[in-house]
């Protein structure tokens, strides 16, 4: 209760306490701002004590504003819930008893007069819809909520309550708090968790956007506050089935209110999931650890160091011992024997206080008797795990994370303190660091903390499968992904972030690079319908590629003759596209990888993924940098090299007047972005080979129906190479760009071994950089296998290594036989450059594409071999005709891949009207598209 005159409230105590006179768990705190008559106050206390067996306190804050009174009153309260009543409030008899009976741990009971309108709102249309919730008097709050949420002090007095409510409803920790109407005026009937009338909702909804954006009579912070309150009320309406979710979302969107469906209803969103999709660093928190002996900190120093690394401010208060030299590097230490005032100051500023050790509680009580705290090192460990899951730096210490998880799971008492989604998200981050050997304890703790059939447990199982991808294989990962997608589809629409995270994990499972990019076969090429069937039919995937869903149409004037060229994730092959466009257009080259790091690869990243989903839902989402969006919006034509993230986003940004083309490469059929592109916005696809075009069409499926596909090879400028060769070339094999698992140099070594068994003059020249060091586990295994093979007797001494050079022609004179030993290639420029210099091609039938026509759709059949034995046999058989064959090879390159003709073909595609039919990709080799 609050007021200036304490005795004046005594007359009303009987009505307030009716129904709770036999309860000793109800406390009354009287907050006074005016002068106090001690005699009258004593009389008042006696009257209160006679009415209820509960405790009674007086908080006196002379001249204080509402915020100060609220803060002090909450600080004094010792119960679980608190309600505020002003000096002028009236309540019906038995009201408080009814409120106590209907309280739930996550409920705010509203006790306000319907129709009451504070003066600061004025006559705005929203007034009658939301004013019942714009003051704090007459409401019931969980006490710990109020202590955690700062009370606003710099706004108009009438707006203070609204802002307080907004901060409660808007904070991550307390978004589950709902408000339920409970009329409190004299004579009113207590309705418990009821709802206001529908007309009030409609009036509030219609005025919300105007209030939040244009009305200068209401300060912006107050407008934001009421908006948040209103979202909370909508959650209640939807959760009770009174209002249809879609209807509410559409109405809000129509009024210009940008809100996610999942924000309208359901439990509090996980802070971990929110951080995962926004990639925003968590705010700094001030943690104070109180120890009797500072040397105890050694037992959990890695958790403290991890918290500091994630951005938290740490203070260790102690009364004994000397802090280690390591501890003082990441935490401030205060010895109370030397500076007790500093310890008290740190405690007053703390967001969280944890006592550790037997004497710590007594020490804290001496320093700050009223300080809220938690006891036990487990609270530090839980805070560390949650913080690490929300920080980009959190997964950098996997050993520390596992120690924290193991210790928590051993006691088991405080596992529930950890956000359930911390377990899969944090484990996923560690796996992504290729530190899979360090997830066992995280997984064990997560399994112990999570219910077996919960979505979070499904996600954790998916991450564990991702870590074991080598043993499960693509088929095993697909089966796990199918289960994850089924769980995502079953997720309540109110929990949209959960569905999104599950869907994201499924995409990671289905497109795990180790199972597709460097292997002899992949279901993404051989059996895409089976591998991607569940994905294509899933709810979120159908939504994200739905051609009826909105796109972002730029409102920029068209610039005739203007072209934009996206250089792609690996911007080194787009030169010919620029050259072809430049003939008829002014070209602006865009390198997205230079703007944002996420565009430097084709990895499934959560930010781009959620942008595509947001756009499909019609939410505002800045897909590309504003300058890029302006360029794309004004262009006559946009050409994207690589079907990567840039294409997926560009397909949602181009205007109706802009033509969009993409040139695809081999990895595009094996990564997720082609499957997330709006192909209905694409006017043409350019592929460097028939087999790649067929693989793309099969992998993407029906989404490509109606999109023209043009097969245009990569250009080879034969004029850069001569037929001059050294005498050693007749017995020298060449392999350009060899040090990757996908290039399979082991195949070349086996071929060399067979040839040297016939004639020791045979040598192998490997052109390009060695395997990287350190390399990813898959590449490291390939590097180790190569080095073991290269030291065997049959090839030892017969290998020459030539470092990378941009002047490839300078090293070609010593190569007489051009090897292509890869598991897959979309074109293999290095092969044809060697052929242009007069090396006779020996081309493996690239295993990944063997089922789509393979390399035979690109080169003469006599060049193609299937094994090292066949390669050696072809070389030995052709050796006598080497001079003739090398001239024929060069002529084939000139006839089929001439640079000038490729440029002209591209120019024709970019200039021609868009065809209405799709070419037959099963046509015989040599057909024109």
């Amino acid at each position: 209760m609050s007021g200036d005159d304490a005795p004046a409230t005594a007359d009303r105590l009987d009505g307030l306490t009716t129904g709770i006179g036999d309860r000793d768990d109800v406390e009354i705190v009287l907050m006074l701002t005016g002068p106090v008559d001690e005699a009258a106050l004593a009389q008042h206390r006696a009257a209160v004590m006679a009415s209820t067996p509960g405790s009674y306190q007086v908080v006196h804050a002379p001249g204080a504003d509402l915020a100060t009174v609220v803060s002090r009153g909450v600080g004094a309260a010792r119960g679980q819930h608190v309600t505020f009543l002003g000096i002028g409030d009236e309540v019906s008899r038995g009201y408080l008893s009814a409120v106590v009976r209907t309280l739930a741990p996550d409920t705010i009971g509203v006790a306000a007069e319907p129709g009451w309108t504070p003066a600061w709102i004025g006559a705005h249309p929203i007034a009658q819809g939301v004013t019942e919730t714009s003051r704090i008097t007459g409401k019931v709050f969980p006490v710990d909520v109020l202590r955690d949420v700062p009370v606003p002090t710099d706004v108009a007095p009438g707006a203070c309550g609204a802002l307080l409510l907004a901060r409660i409803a808007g904070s991550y920790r307390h978004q589950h708090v709902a408000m339920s109407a409970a009329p409190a005026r004299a004579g009113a009937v207590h309705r418990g968790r009821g709802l206001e009338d529908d007309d009030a909702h409609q009036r509030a909804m219609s005025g919300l956007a105007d209030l939040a954006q244009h009305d200068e009579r209401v300060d912006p912070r107050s407008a934001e506050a009421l908006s948040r309150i209103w979202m909370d009320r909508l959650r209640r309406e939807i959760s009770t089935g009174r209002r249809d979710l879609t209807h509410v979302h559409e109405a809000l969107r129509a009024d210009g209110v940008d809100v996610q469906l999942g924000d309208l209803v359901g439990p509090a969103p996980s802070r971990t999931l929110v951080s995962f999709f926004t990639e925003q660093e968590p705010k700094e928190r001030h943690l104070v650890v109180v120890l009797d002996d500072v040397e105890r900190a050694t037992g959990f120093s890695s958790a403290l160091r991890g918290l500091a690394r994630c951005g938290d401010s740490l203070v260790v208060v102690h009364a004994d011992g000397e802090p280690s030299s390591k501890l003082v590097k990441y935490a401030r230490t205060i010895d109370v024997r030397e500076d007790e005032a500093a310890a008290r100051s740190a405690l007053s500023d703390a967001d969280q206080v944890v006592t550790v050790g037997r004497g710590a509680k007594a020490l804290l009580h001496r320093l700050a008797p009223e300080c809220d705290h938690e006891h036990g090192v487990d609270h530090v460990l839980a805070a560390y795990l949650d913080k690490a899951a929300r920080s980009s730096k959190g997964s950098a210490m996997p050993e520390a994370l596992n120690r924290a998880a193991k210790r928590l799971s051993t006691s088991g008492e405080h596992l529930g303190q950890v956000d359930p989604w911390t377990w899969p998200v944090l484990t996923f981050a560690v796996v992504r660091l290729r530190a899979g050997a360090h997830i066992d304890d995280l997984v064990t703790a997560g399994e112990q903390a999570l219910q077996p059939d919960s979505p979070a447990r499904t996600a954790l199982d998916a991450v564990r499968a991702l870590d074991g991808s080598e043993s499960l294989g693509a088929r095993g990962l697909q089966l796990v992904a199918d289960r994850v997608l089924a769980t995502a589809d079953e997720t309540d629409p109110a929990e949209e972030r959960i569905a999104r995270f599950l869907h994201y994990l499924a995409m990671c499972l289905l497109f795990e690079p180790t199972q597709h990019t460097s292997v002899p076969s992949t279901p993404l090429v051989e059996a895409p319908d089976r591998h991607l069937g569940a994905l294509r039919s899933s709810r979120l995937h159908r939504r994200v590629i739905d051609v009826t869903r909105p796109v972002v149409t730029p409102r920029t004037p068209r610039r005739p003759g203007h072209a934009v060229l996206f250089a792609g994730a690996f911007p080194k092959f787009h030169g010919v596209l620029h050259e072809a466009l430049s003939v008829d257009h002014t070209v602006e080259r865009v390198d997205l990888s230079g703007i944002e790091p996420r565009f430097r690869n084709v990895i499934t990243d959560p930010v781009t993924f959620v942008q595509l989903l947001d756009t499909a839902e019609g939410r505002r989402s800045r897909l590309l940098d504003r300058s890029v969006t302006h360029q794309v919006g004004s262009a006559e034509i946009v050409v994207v090299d690589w079907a990567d993230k840039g294409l997926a986003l560009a397909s949602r940004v181009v205007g109706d007047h802009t033509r969009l083309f993409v040139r695809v490469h081999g990895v595009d059929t094996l990564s997720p972005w082609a499957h997330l592109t709006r192909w209905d916005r694409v006017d043409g696809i350019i592929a460097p080979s028939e087999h790649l075009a067929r693989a793309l069409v099969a992998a993407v499926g029906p989404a490509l129906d109606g999109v023209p596909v043009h097969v245009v090879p990569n250009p080879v400028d034969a004029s850069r190479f001569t037929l001059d060769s050294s005498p050693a070339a007749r017995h020298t094999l060449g392999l350009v760009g060899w040090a990757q698992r996908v290039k399979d140099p082991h195949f070349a070594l086996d071929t060399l071994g067979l040839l040297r068994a016939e004639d020791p003059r045979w040598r192998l020249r490997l052109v390009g950089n060695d395997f990287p060091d350190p390399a990813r586990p898959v590449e490291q295994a390939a590097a180790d296998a190569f080095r073991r093979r290269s030291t065997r007797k049959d090839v030892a001494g017969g290998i020459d290594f030539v470092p990378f050079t941009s002047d490839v022609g300078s090293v070609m004179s010593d190569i007489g036989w051009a090897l292509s030993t890869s598991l897959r290639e979309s074109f293999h420029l290095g092969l044809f450059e060697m052929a242009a210099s007069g090396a006779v091609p020996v081309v493996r039938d690239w295993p990944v594409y063997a089922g789509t026509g393979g390399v035979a759709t690109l080169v003469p059949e006599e060049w193609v071999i299937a094994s090292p034995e066949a390669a050696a046999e072809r070389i030995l058989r052709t050796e006598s005709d080497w001079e003739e064959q090398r001239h024929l090879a060069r002529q084939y390159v000139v006839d089929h891949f001439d640079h000038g003709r490729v440029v002209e073909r591209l120019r024709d595609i970019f200039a021609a009207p868009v065809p209405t039919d799709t070419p037959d990709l099963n046509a015989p080799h040599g057909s024109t598209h």
Side-chain angles (χ1 to χ4, degrees):
M1 298 181 63
S2 63
D4 292 335
D5 184 6
T9 64
D11 295 336
R12 300 174 50 236
L13 283 177
D14 184 53
L16 287 174
T17 57
T18 298
I20 59 172
D22 59 343
R23 301 185 64 125
D24 60 3
D25 58 348
V26 177
E27 175 186 45
I28 294 178
V29 179
L30 178 64
M31 300 178 294
L32 299 174
T33 58
V36 175
D37 183 312
E38 294 297 333
L41 191 59
Q43 182 182 2
H44 175 66
R45 183 189 301 272
V48 172
M49 299 305 293
S51 302
T52 174
S55 64
Y56 171 77
Q57 296 186 65
V58 176
V59 174
H60 189 206
D65 59 12
L66 177 62
T68 302
V69 172
V70 168
S71 297
R72 293 190 182 181
V74 170
R78 289 174 289 187
Q80 291 183 333
H81 294 85
V82 62
T83 186
F84 296 94
L85 295 175
I87 189 65
D89 288 329
E90 298 179 11
V91 297
S92 57
R93 298 180 67 86
Y95 164 69
L96 288 180
S97 178
V99 170
V100 170
R101 289 197 306 271
T102 59
L103 282 175
D106 58 353
T107 298
I108 293 177
V110 178
E113 177 188 17
W116 174 79
T117 306
W120 66 275
I121 288 185
H124 197 277
I126 199 175
Q128 298 303 314
V130 299
T131 51
E132 297 95 314
T133 61
S134 65
R135 58 177 183 168
I136 63 169
T137 57
K139 297 176 179 65
V140 179
F141 302 88
V143 173
D144 64 340
V145 168
L146 287 182
R147 286 177 175 160
D148 193 48
V149 177
V151 180
T153 60
D154 54 350
V155 296
C160 180
L163 283 170
L164 177 62
L165 289 173
R167 291 184 179 183
I168 294 171
S171 67
Y172 289 136
R173 179 178 173 189
H174 304 303
Q175 282 191 15
H176 65 288
V177 175
M179 289 176 285
S180 57
R185 291 292 169 172
V189 178
H190 176 69
R191 294 187 298 168
R193 304 180 69 179
L195 296 165
E196 291 76 19
D197 64 282
D198 192 65
D199 289 341
H201 283 282
Q202 296 293 352
R203 287 195 299 273
M205 191 180 296
S206 65
L208 182 59
D210 185 43
L211 171 69
Q213 299 175 26
H214 307 297
D215 195 343
E216 297 180 356
R217 291 173 297 173
V218 180
D219 62 275
R221 294 186 67 191
S222 302
E224 179 187 4
L226 289 177
S227 296
R228 292 185 183 180
I229 295 169
W230 191 243
M231 292 305 154
D232 188 73
R233 300 173 79 176
L234 288 176
R235 290 189 191 99
R236 288 189 293 105
E237 286 243 314
I238 298 161
S239 64
T240 58
R242 180 165 176 172
R243 192 179 295 277
D244 177 66
L245 184 70
T246 305
H247 169 72
V248 171
H249 183 248
E250 292 174 352
L252 287 171
R253 295 289 304 162
D255 277 350
V257 180
D258 189 20
V259 63
Q260 294 189 26
L261 283 170
D263 287 339
L264 295 179
V265 64
S270 161
R271 288 188 296 172
T272 298
L273 288 185
V274 170
S275 297
F276 181 81
F277 284 117
T278 60
E279 292 193 343
Q280 294 178 350
E281 291 298 311
K283 294 181 179 179
E284 178 186 13
R285 294 171 63 257
H286 300 284
L287 171 66
V288 177
V289 179
V290 181
L291 301 153
D292 54 347
D293 187 342
V294 71
E295 293 182 8
R296 288 180 178 271
T298 305
F300 54 99
S301 60
S302 60
L304 292 175
R305 186 169 68 253
L307 280 166
R309 184 165 188 162
C310 294
D312 275 358
S313 172
L314 305 180
V315 177
V316 176
V317 174
H318 65 97
D320 196 8
E322 291 296 326
S324 68
S325 58
K326 292 182 178 180
L327 179 63
V328 298
K329 290 181 179 179
Y330 52 81
R332 178 189 175 198
T333 60
I334 301 176
D335 190 334
V336 297
R337 296 170 297 183
E338 299 175 359
D339 196 345
E340 194 167 299
R344 288 194 173 94
S345 176
L347 289 166
S348 65
D349 294 337
D351 295 310
Q352 182 180 8
V353 176
V354 179
T355 56
V356 178
R358 292 181 180 179
K361 283 186 175 182
L363 176 60
L364 176 63
H365 184 74
R366 176 164 67 86
L367 295 171
E370 303 300 325
C371 180
D372 289 332
H373 69 283
E374 298 158 315
H375 184 70
V377 70
D378 283 3
H379 295 281
V380 177
L381 303 178
Y384 170 42
L385 292 171
D386 274 339
K387 188 78 173 191
R390 294 185 287 120
S391 171
S392 62
K393 301 175 182 178
S395 58
M397 297 171 56
E399 295 87 355
L401 294 171
N402 272 277
R403 282 197 294 270
K406 185 175 183 178
R407 188 163 179 176
L408 268 181
S409 63
T410 300
S411 68
E413 183 179 355
H414 297 287
L415 278 172
Q417 279 187 235
V418 180
D419 184 331
W421 289 97
T422 285
W423 302 110
V425 169
L426 191 53
T427 308
F428 177 78
V430 174
V431 169
R432 273 288 182 257
L433 280 180
R434 304 295 172 186
H438 304 287
I439 71 165
D440 291 346
D441 292 319
L442 279 169
V443 170
T444 299
E447 290 175 342
Q448 185 176 339
L450 302 173
Q451 293 295 324
D453 58 347
S454 67
R457 176 62 182 271
T458 299
L460 182 63
D461 292 342
V463 176
R464 184 173 56 180
L466 197 60
D467 182 56
S469 58
E470 286 296 307
S471 59
L472 286 175
R475 177 62 171 164
L477 294 181
Q478 177 233 311
L479 294 175
V480 176
D482 289 356
R483 291 195 294 271
V484 173
L485 289 168
T487 303
D489 283 348
E490 295 167 0
T491 301
D492 192 293
E495 299 175 323
E496 188 74 0
R497 285 187 182 88
I498 293 176
R500 289 179 171 200
F501 183 67
L502 291 170
H503 193 94
Y504 173 81
L505 285 181
M507 295 284 285
C508 294
L509 290 163
L510 291 171
F511 295 95
E512 164 55 29
T514 61
Q515 300 305 306
H516 304 290
T517 59
S518 303
V519 290
S521 64
T522 165
L524 287 170
V525 174
E526 293 183 352
D529 291 341
R530 184 194 69 190
H531 191 72
L532 300 174
L535 175 70
R536 292 173 181 171
S537 62
S538 66
R539 174 172 58 89
L540 285 184
H541 188 76
R542 284 186 286 109
R543 185 184 303 163
V544 82
I545 65 170
D546 186 351
V547 298
T548 66
R549 293 279 172 175
V551 293
V552 180
T553 304
R555 298 179 180 178
T556 51
R558 183 182 180 187
R559 296 165 60 188
H562 178 63
V564 171
L565 172 61
F566 280 30
F570 310 101
K572 58 181 180 179
F573 301 111
H574 63 278
V576 66
L577 299 176
H578 192 286
E579 184 178 349
L581 281 170
S582 298
V583 177
D584 302 303
H585 301 84
T586 301
V587 183
E588 285 188 87
R589 175 181 172 273
V590 174
D591 184 2
L592 293 177
S593 63
I595 299 175
E596 291 186 59
R598 62 183 166 124
F599 293 108
R600 295 173 188 166
N601 55 60
V602 295
I603 294 173
T604 311
D605 75 88
V607 171
T608 307
F609 177 72
V610 83
Q611 283 180 330
L612 300 180
L613 288 171
D614 281 347
T615 303
E617 291 290 353
R619 302 183 189 118
R620 298 185 183 94
S621 181
R622 185 180 67 82
L623 300 181
L624 294 167
D625 182 82
R626 289 181 179 178
S627 63
V628 176
T629 301
H630 178 79
Q631 290 173 306
V632 170
S634 62
E636 180 180 284
I637 182 173
V638 174
V639 178
V640 180
D641 200 18
W642 303 84
D644 56 9
K645 302 171 192 179
L647 174 67
L649 296 176
S651 68
R652 290 162 171 85
V653 172
V654 291
D656 294 334
H657 62 267
T658 302
R659 291 181 298 141
L660 175 62
F661 292 87
V662 58
R663 183 174 67 167
V664 297
H665 299 261
V667 76
D668 293 331
T669 62
L670 310 176
S671 66
W673 303 109
H675 304 270
L676 295 171
T677 294
R678 280 285 299 270
W679 288 104
D680 60 299
R681 311 286 294 179
V682 177
D683 296 290
I685 300 169
I686 300 165
S689 57
E690 291 253 4
H691 64 266
L692 181 63
R694 292 173 179 173
L696 180 72
V697 170
V700 177
L704 281 184
D705 290 349
V707 183
V709 182
H710 311 273
V711 176
V712 182
N714 292 332
V716 181
D717 187 358
S719 64
R720 293 173 51 220
F721 307 97
T722 68
L723 286 172
D724 297 336
S725 60
S726 68
R730 279 182 173 269
H731 293 90
T732 302
L733 313 175
L735 184 60
V736 177
W738 58 277
Q740 299 177 61
R741 183 185 182 188
V742 70
K743 300 297 184 179
D744 198 7
H746 206 287
F747 189 103
L749 293 178
D750 287 346
T751 302
L752 175 65
L754 293 169
L755 291 172
R756 284 174 69 84
E758 299 293 329
D759 187 338
R761 289 180 298 170
W762 284 101
R763 303 189 65 80
L764 171 64
R765 173 164 283 210
L766 298 174
V767 181
N769 293 332
D770 199 347
F771 284 93
D773 185 25
R776 293 183 297 113
V778 169
E779 294 298 321
Q780 189 61 54
D784 294 343
F786 170 81
R787 292 187 176 99
R788 287 193 300 271
R789 179 66 181 90
S790 65
T791 58
R792 284 170 51 179
K793 184 177 180 179
D794 59 339
V795 297
I799 306 171
D800 301 315
F801 295 92
V802 180
F804 170 80
T805 174
S806 57
D807 183 14
V808 181
S810 64
V811 300
M812 294 299 184
S813 60
D814 292 328
I815 297 175
W817 303 85
L819 295 184
S820 178
T821 61
S822 303
L823 300 174
R824 61 172 178 84
E825 293 281 358
S826 61
F827 184 76
H828 202 176
L829 181 62
L831 165 70
F832 296 117
E833 287 179 335
M834 286 188 288
S837 69
V840 178
V842 181
V843 186
R844 182 182 188 179
D845 192 5
W846 303 319
V848 169
Y849 297 120
T852 63
V855 70
T857 66
L858 187 63
V859 303
E861 188 174 350
E862 59 267 23
W863 291 9
V864 183
I865 50 89
S867 64
E869 292 77 12
E873 192 275 332
R874 165 170 163 72
I875 291 169
L876 295 173
R877 185 182 68 248
T878 312
E879 185 179 3
S880 59
D881 298 328
W882 179 73
E883 195 65 43
E884 178 184 359
Q885 291 298 319
R886 62 196 299 262
H887 282 82
L888 291 174
R890 176 182 171 86
Q891 192 59 46
Y892 185 89
V893 172
V894 171
D895 291 345
H896 290 81
F897 313 130
D898 176 69
H899 185 94
R901 273 181 274 189
V902 169
V903 170
E904 192 63 29
R905 179 77 180 100
L906 291 171
R907 181 191 177 194
D908 290 344
I909 292 171
F910 297 150
V914 178
T916 57
D917 57 343
T918 303
D920 180 10
L921 292 177
N922 294 312
H925 170 53
S927 60
T928 302
H929 302 287

